[in-house]
Each structure stands twice: as structure tokens, then as C-alpha cells.
Amino acid sequence: MRTDRASEIIRLLGQTSIPSSENISAFSLNKTDCTQVVVPEEVFFTIAAVGILENLLVLIAVIRNKNLHLPMYFFICSLAVSDMLGSLYKTLENILIILCKMGYLKPRGDFETKMDDVIDSMFILSLLGSIFSLLTIAADRYITIFYALRYHNIMTLKRALIILAAIWTFCAGSGIAIAIFSHETAVVISFTILFPLMLIFILCLYIHMFLLARSHAKKIASLPTSTVHQRTNTKGAITLTIFLGVFLFCWAPFVLHILLMQFCPHNPYCACYMSIFQVNGTLILCNAVIDPMVYAFRSPELRSTFKKMFCCTRSNWK
Amino acid sequence: MSMHRLSSNRTSQQALSNSDYTWEYEYYEYGPVSFEGLKAHKYSIVIGFWVGLAVFVIFMFFVLTLLTKTGVPHQDNTEPSEKRFRLNSFVADFGRPLESDKVFSRQIAEESRSLFHFYINEVEHLDKTKRSHKTPGLDSNICFQEVPRSSGRFEEELNCLTKFNIPNFVNTDQNSSLGEDDLLISEPPIILESKSVIPASHQILN
């Protein structure tokens, strides 16, 4: 997929040799043109660095603590890896742009085109990995709730690793295929349909879990001496809304961009939407920062592992 | 692709200067986009998309909140004791890292309290039936008479007890991977307020 940022490197390298006068005469832009909304590189770098660091911390914590060698945490690690890949993609792109600025990279070389392809497939890999990791986390929680007594038999460590291997192989293959065939309409449509389908499926799982928790809360409330407040279920609704909201707000703008790029590149309305592409990219980086907070840091065991890690480093300094 | 078309026009010069550093789209090579004669605001898709997204998320939130209040009947296929075990193991929470063990034990205490109540009620009922049939001097006969009548009831009670003991039974059965792991495995995405449960169990334990 020729994402705009990645291919802008190539474009930039080519652009410099064309005199600016030719630019102006070749393209008559209206004054009411939608100019691209530029996000400063420093912002990109900062958010990407924070995302990478956070997800790396999650990975280190899970690897270090033996108690966390469980299917649930492996799925959270998978999500952390895919978020890290997404942030790495942005960082690499920015580094390449800076190298172009400084003139170290040869323009239009094979290396740059190949780098472009590799970067694009890495981005799609991260996107697909993210979606599938969220799906496995939801499915794992669903099995925990509805098959609680058989959970240990259904979700063994070996099965979890097999599932993760299968998912990542599929995502890698799809990433390469989509990057190569990104101009095909069928590829774009199938990619775009995958996103809402996954979202609806995850939503159904969580709503079913939510309904069960609600009925349990009602049963507890019906016991003679218990005082369960209505706030419990409001908190559940808030949590579900946060999951849904983060997923939608971070990914939907980009998916819509891909759709519009394929179907109406010349339409002025679509062009105005596509002018905020860098903001959409920033949102994907923000997703990498927010996901650990929403999924990983809610576990008390993981939080205590972090505290131990930081306390150990502090005591080492002393 | 459009990039290759561009390369054919290129000169061999490769030096970059900061003044030429501009961000441009690849696809505006297709031709200029005319912005004249627009009926709606040019950012209408952007605004419409974000407003629609926000409305959808808020709508979902209200639907979920309403679900909690209107009490949509939920068909449970499993035994109530099993579900109660599940619920108790989940209400272990996100917000209390230090108290997770205590919460779990308190909830087991709460459940056993409720089972205890049930058991007490049954035993009281049994005692009442015994006392109602008691006549002086015929204790042994009564016992013998009572036994067959109440044995079925007692068996039922035993069954009930074993049924309600399933959570504890399962708990010990899965001891191999128990401890904190059990809580961690069953951590739900939904935060159920266990604060209200703990004061209740406090009342019972104290």
C-alpha cells in the first residue's frame, strides 16, 4: 500500500531536482485549496518514542516475571509487539526523511523503493497484528468467563503460542500481499471490511460478557444483606466504551483515508479529508501509547512487576 | 505508477536544500483538484466523520448504561453455583493490587455465607418438621418414623450442599495453578465494584 508518508520520501527526492517555477505552472492550485495539515516531526518522534518505550516495558515485565507466563499475558504481549511495530514504522520513516534532508540517501534508488515496500508491509503487519491481538484478548476473556471451569484445559500455554504464531504468520503474509497489490480495489475493500467486522465481533463478545456480569450483579444485589450499587454496572459500561472508543478513534480515520484514496482521489471533499493524513498517522501512534494503559496496566500483577523493576533500578543507583 | 512517470522527467541533480523541503501528496499528479463550486463546506467529510464517530460512541455508552437499568433478561445456561464462583473470581479487581488475595477470600466467605444461610434455612425447616411431630415417650419410634420421611429431604440437602460446594471443590481441584494466577486468569475487562461486597462481608465476618 502506498501510504502517503512513505512515498513522500521518494517524491521528495524526486521533487528537489524540478525547479520551483515548473511546479507552479504545472499545478494551478486554487486559493481555497485544502493544504495539508502538518504535524511537526518533534511531535511524531516524541509520541513514537513514548509508545515504543511503554510497550517495551510491558514486554520486559512479562518476560521477567514468571507469574505472568500465562496465555492472557502472551496475548497482551502480542498487542504490545504490534503497537511497537507501528511506532517503529513511524520512527523509521522520520529517520529516512531526515537522512533525505541531509542528502545521505540516493534518490530513486532501488534501496529506497525497497525500503518503501518494507516499511509499508511493516505498517500493515502492525495494523493487522493489532486488530487480531485485540480479538484474541477478547476471546480469551470470553473463554475465561463462560468456560471458567475448563479454561485451563481449553487455553493451554502451548495452544496460545500456536494461535499467536498462526496469527502473526497470517498477518505477515497479508501485509506483504497487501503492500504488493495495494492498487487493486479488491484488496482495499477486503482490508476495509476486515476492520468493522473485527470491531463488531469484539463488541459482541464484550457485550455478552457485560450482560453476564450485570445479571450476576443483580443476583448478588438480591441477596438479603448485600448492598451492591448501580455504579458497578456503570463502571462496566464506561470500561467497554473506553475499549470501543480507543479502537475506533485511532483506527477509523486511517481506514477511511484508505477508502477515499482508492475511490475518490479527485473529489474536493475527499481531498480535504486526505489533507489531514498526518493527524491520522499521529492518532495511530497515540493508539500505541494508550493501548498498554487500557489493557496491560490494569493488571495488578503487571503493575507490581513494574514497581519492583523501578524500585530495583533506583536502589541500584543508590 | 505515478512515481515512475515523475522519474523520467528528472535531472541528475541530487542536492537537497531545506527550502525545497515541502510535503506534497503523491497523487496530486493526477491533476489539480478544483475547489470551485462547492455546495457544502470543504471540510464537511472531516467534520461529519468525527461528529458521527463521537455520536456513535456516546450512543453505545448510553445503550450499555440503559442495559444495566432496564434489566434485559439474560438466559444463563450454567448452574448458579458455577456462575457465582465465576463472578466471585472476577470481582477481583484492577484497582487493588495488595488486596487481591483478601478480596478473593472475602468473596468466598460471602458466598459461603449465602450458602450457609441456605443451609441454615433448610436445617431450621427440618427441625420444625421434627418438632411438630414430636410426642413424649415415643422418641425412638419417632426417630424411625422421622428418618424415612426426612431422609429424602436430607439427601436433597446433601445434594444441594454438594452442589453449592462445587466452587470450593473446583478451587481445591485446580490448586496446581492457583494462588494469584487464578485471579489473574479470571480478570475481566469489566470492573465490578467490589467495594460494596467487601463491607457486606466485613459485617458478616465481624
Side-chain angles (χ1 to χ4, degrees), chain A residues 95-225:
Chain A
I95 289 173
L96 279 177
I97 290 163
I98 289 172
L99 286 176
C100 291
K101 257 174 149 173
M102 295 184 183
Y104 290 126
L105 278 185
K106 194 178 63 166
R108 302 306 302 151
D110 282 336
F111 174 69
E112 277 73 27
T113 323
K114 277 183 190 158
M115 279 300 293
D116 189 37
D117 282 339
V118 166
I119 284 175
D120 285 342
S121 25
M122 188 160 80
F123 180 65
I124 297 166
L125 173 70
S126 121
L127 208 162
L128 286 174
S130 207
I131 293 176
F132 279 108
S133 299
L134 290 175
L135 183 66
T136 53
I137 289 174
D140 178 64
R141 287 173 175 172
Y142 188 84
I143 295 174
T144 306
I145 289 179
F146 287 95
Y147 300 95
L149 300 178
R150 289 178 283 153
Y151 175 80
H152 287 286
N153 292 331
I154 295 174
M155 190 63 77
T156 57
L157 215 59
K158 197 175 154 195
R159 269 189 205 162
L161 290 170
I162 290 171
I163 289 170
L164 283 176
I167 282 176
W168 280 100
T169 316
F170 174 73
C171 292
S174 308
I176 294 169
I178 291 177
I180 292 172
F181 296 109
S182 59
H183 52 279
E184 301 276 347
T185 312
V187 167
V188 171
I189 289 179
S190 56
F191 176 74
T192 315
I193 285 175
L194 182 73
F195 176 79
L197 271 180
M198 287 290 147
L199 179 70
I200 289 168
F201 188 51
I202 291 172
L203 201 61
C204 289
L205 287 177
Y206 277 128
I207 286 180
H208 197 197
M209 288 190 262
F210 176 75
L211 287 174
L212 179 68
R214 191 185 49 85
S215 67
H216 277 188
K218 283 203 159 100
K219 280 181 186 165
I220 285 184
S222 66
L223 288 175
T225 57

Side-chain angles (χ1 to χ4, degrees), chain A residues 262-280:
Chain A
Q262 183 68 26
F263 290 115
C264 61
H266 304 298
N267 191 323
Y269 298 112
C270 298
C272 275
Y273 181 83
M274 292 188 281
S275 65
I276 60 168
F277 177 72
Q278 293 190 20
V279 176
N280 296 342

Side-chain angles (χ1 to χ4, degrees), chain A residues 7-8 11 14 16-17 33 97 100 108 145 151-152 214 216 219 225 227 232 239 266 274 303, chain B residues 6 10 16 21 23-26 29-30 35 40 72 83 86-87 94 113 174 180 185 189 193 196:
Chain A
S7 45
E8 272 165 15
R11 179 134 182 82
T16 55
S17 51
D33 189 17
I97 290 163
C100 291
R108 302 306 302 151
I145 289 179
Y151 175 80
H152 287 286
R214 191 185 49 85
H216 277 188
K219 280 181 186 165
T225 57
T227 52
T232 67
T239 311
H266 304 298
M274 292 188 281
R303 279 204 299 260
Chain B
L6 189 63
R10 192 156 302 118
L16 287 169
Y21 183 69
W23 286 119
E24 279 153 10
Y25 277 114
E26 168 189 328
E29 296 161 2
Y30 293 139
F35 280 88
V72 173
K83 290 181 314 185
R86 273 191 239 129
L87 175 66
F94 298 133
R113 172 195 62 83
Q174 307 228 359
E180 268 183 284
I185 290 165
E193 178 94 46
S196 49

